[in-house]
């Protein structure tokens, strides 16, 4: 700012404010009604490299930024996604010999 006049400083600061306002409008999402547990679930799946499995509230149109809405850079939203995720994880971790049918056949 040492090389600018007072009028130039005024216009530079005003221009930066306009650019900042535009970036805020473009990239900020409304997360006021989303719990921290939802953010944690998304973060855990992201860290596990399975972000495509997240289909929770953060993918709902009410919680997306304008950039995500316009470009389609978001996952799909499914209100029952967590139940499906838990069911799929249980299926992956279940051992074939510990299924209820296998236990019943061993008892008789």
């Amino acid at each position: 700012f040492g090389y600018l006049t007072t009028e130039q400083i005024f216009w530079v600061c005003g221009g930066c404010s306009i650019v900042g306002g535009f970036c805020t409008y473009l990239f900020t999402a409304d997360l006021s009604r989303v719990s921290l547990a939802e953010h944690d679930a998304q973060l855990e799946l992201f860290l596990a490299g399975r972000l495509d499995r997240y289909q929770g509230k953060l993918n709902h149109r009410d919680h997306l930024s304008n950039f995500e809405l316009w470009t389609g850079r978001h996952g799909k939203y499914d209100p029952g996604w967590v139940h499906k995720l838990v069911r799929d994880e249980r299926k992956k971790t279940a051992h074939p010999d510990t299924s209820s049918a296998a236990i019943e056949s061993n008892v008789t």
Side-chain angles (χ1 to χ4, degrees):
F1 286 114
Y3 300 105
L4 301 176
T5 65
T6 304
E7 184 179 347
Q8 290 171 331
I9 291 173
F10 174 80
W11 287 109
V12 168
C13 291
C16 289
S17 296
I18 290 172
V19 169
F22 177 73
C23 288
T24 300
Y25 172 75
L26 190 61
F27 296 113
T28 302
D30 177 21
L31 302 176
S32 59
R33 297 180 313 260
V34 180
S35 70
L36 291 176
E38 197 74 30
H39 289 280
D40 287 344
Q42 185 186 38
L43 179 62
E44 285 183 26
L45 289 171
F46 172 76
L47 293 175
R50 301 182 311 158
L51 187 58
D52 58 319
R53 297 280 302 173
Y54 179 78
Q55 298 175 0
K57 212 172 184 181
L58 295 173
N59 287 340
H60 190 271
R61 120 173 247 100
D62 292 343
H63 307 294
L64 296 173
S65 69
N66 288 317
F67 177 78
E68 292 168 319
L69 288 172
W70 296 336
T71 61
R73 291 179 171 250
H74 58 84
K76 75 176 193 178
Y77 172 65
D78 180 10
W81 78 277
V82 74
H83 302 294
K84 294 175 185 174
L85 180 70
V86 169
R87 184 184 61 228
D88 293 346
E89 291 298 317
R90 284 185 180 162
K91 283 181 184 177
K92 284 188 347 186
T93 59
H95 299 289
D97 58 345
T98 59
S99 67
S100 58
I103 293 173
E104 289 176 16
S105 65
N106 288 337
V107 172
T108 56

